Amino acid sequence: VPSLREVLDDSSALFFESGNVQSLTSALHKYFAEPNAYTQLGVNAQKAVQEFSWKKRAERIQKLIVDIA
């Protein structure tokens, strides 16, 4: 899903080509080969998505309003 790449990247998600079984299989093999490395994916993903919470969005909008006022 292209919109996911706006929020997450290869350091925070395991991507594969939709509808492509080989791509999914390859991604899963990488995951199971290095489970400790992929634990970091979860940590990075959690940090990344926090920037897109409603609270963060409201803070950015409020700052924009203050900056242009």
Side-chain angles (χ1 to χ4, degrees):
V1 179
S3 59
L4 286 178
R5 289 200 182 261
E6 293 177 16
V7 178
L8 303 173
D9 59 23
D10 290 329
S11 72
S12 55
L14 188 64
F15 291 103
F16 60 92
E17 185 180 332
S18 177
N20 184 330
V21 175
Q22 184 61 35
S23 177
L24 173 59
T25 302
S26 176
L28 290 173
H29 279 288
K30 288 178 186 176
Y31 176 81
F32 289 116
E34 300 179 53
N36 292 332
Y38 284 99
T39 299
Q40 190 62 42
L41 282 178
V43 172
N44 293 344
Q46 187 71 343
K47 288 178 186 175
V49 298
Q50 287 175 1
E51 291 300 312
F52 294 91
S53 70
W54 284 109
K55 182 180 179 192
K56 286 284 190 177
R57 184 70 182 144
E59 290 170 355
R60 285 193 287 272
I61 291 170
Q62 183 179 20
K63 182 181 180 319
L64 175 65
I65 292 169
V66 168
D67 287 351
I68 62 173

